[in-house]
Amino acid sequence: MPEYGLGERAGRGEAARLTQGDLGGGPAGLPGFLAHLGPEMEKAWPALGTPAFDEPTLAVLTEQAKEFLAEGSVSELAAERDRRQIALLRTLDEAS
């Protein structure tokens, strides 16, 4: 099966899941995503004023993500993501 990357996930709507952090943070969820990528994201913020990933902001973002993403556990979401990706890769392989 050919190697593909993040592009086929984005093509299936996975970009939203990755950037929302529910899968992008792995088992640690959104807090893990923000701990890993937050500092780099924050570097782009000077033009926005004085936003920061301080504790109150992280608490609000994490709570909102929990409410919005109450669709299943990280392992359940990852299994569904993987099932869809494998189906797409098989289709692409059959088409080539």
Side-chain angles (χ1 to χ4, degrees):
M1 195 172 295
E3 292 284 329
Y4 295 94
L6 194 54
E8 79 275 1
R9 287 186 182 174
R12 293 181 291 103
E14 290 293 325
R17 286 217 167 277
L18 290 169
T19 58
Q20 290 164 350
D22 58 330
L23 294 179
L30 182 64
F33 176 84
L34 294 175
H36 179 68
L37 295 175
E40 288 300 314
M41 293 168 59
E42 196 169 12
K43 288 180 183 178
W45 290 0
L48 301 175
T50 57
F53 275 126
D54 55 15
E55 289 304 316
T57 302
L58 290 175
V60 168
L61 291 172
T62 300
E63 186 57 34
Q64 288 177 348
K66 284 179 186 175
E67 292 171 8
F68 182 73
L69 301 169
E71 299 174 22
S73 69
V74 170
S75 61
E76 291 169 334
L77 294 170
E80 178 62 16
R81 174 206 58 204
D82 294 346
R83 184 194 65 73
R84 289 179 183 183
Q85 184 168 357
I86 289 167
L88 175 64
L89 293 174
R90 285 185 176 144
T91 299
L92 290 171
D93 192 43
E94 291 169 6
S96 60

